[in-house]
Amino acid sequence: MTAILALPPFLSLPADVPRTAAGMFTISYTCAIIIPTICGALWDLTGKPWTAFVPLCLCAVALAVLGTIASRRSPAVQVPPIEGPRAPWPPNNRQ
């Protein structure tokens, strides 16, 4: 849970943090519901307990591949802060 809360500011530009966090929460919670359901359904259909672990193994491989691809991507470029009357909150402390 801590990684899900801490990663969006590190992975995206400040303006994109809400979208990145929303996407990460949507994907993680959806997978947390769907994958165990598929695991149980496979066990029920086949009657073999080891089949419940097949979706988990596929997810582990997929996450390893996606992590490798994401780590090769260049980091986001920082945009200079907006100044003036429409500056976002919190204001700059420069005077």
Side-chain angles (χ1 to χ4, degrees), residues 25-88:
F25 285 133
T26 300
I27 292 168
S28 64
Y29 288 130
T30 302
C31 289
I33 298 297
I34 292 174
I35 300 301
T37 304
I38 293 170
C39 292
L42 278 175
W43 189 348
D44 287 344
L45 288 173
T46 62
K48 298 176 183 175
W50 65 268
T51 59
F53 296 100
V54 171
L56 297 175
C57 293
L58 293 175
C59 284
V61 170
L63 289 175
V65 169
L66 290 174
T68 303
I69 292 169
S71 67
R72 293 175 188 240
R73 183 174 170 236
S74 62
V77 177
Q78 293 292 341
V79 177
I82 300 170
E83 297 192 24
R86 299 187 68 179

Side-chain angles (χ1 to χ4, degrees), residues 4 8 12 16-30:
I4 291 175
S12 60
D16 291 333
V17 169
R19 278 187 291 221
T20 304
M24 289 176 67
F25 285 133
T26 300
I27 292 168
S28 64
Y29 288 130
T30 302

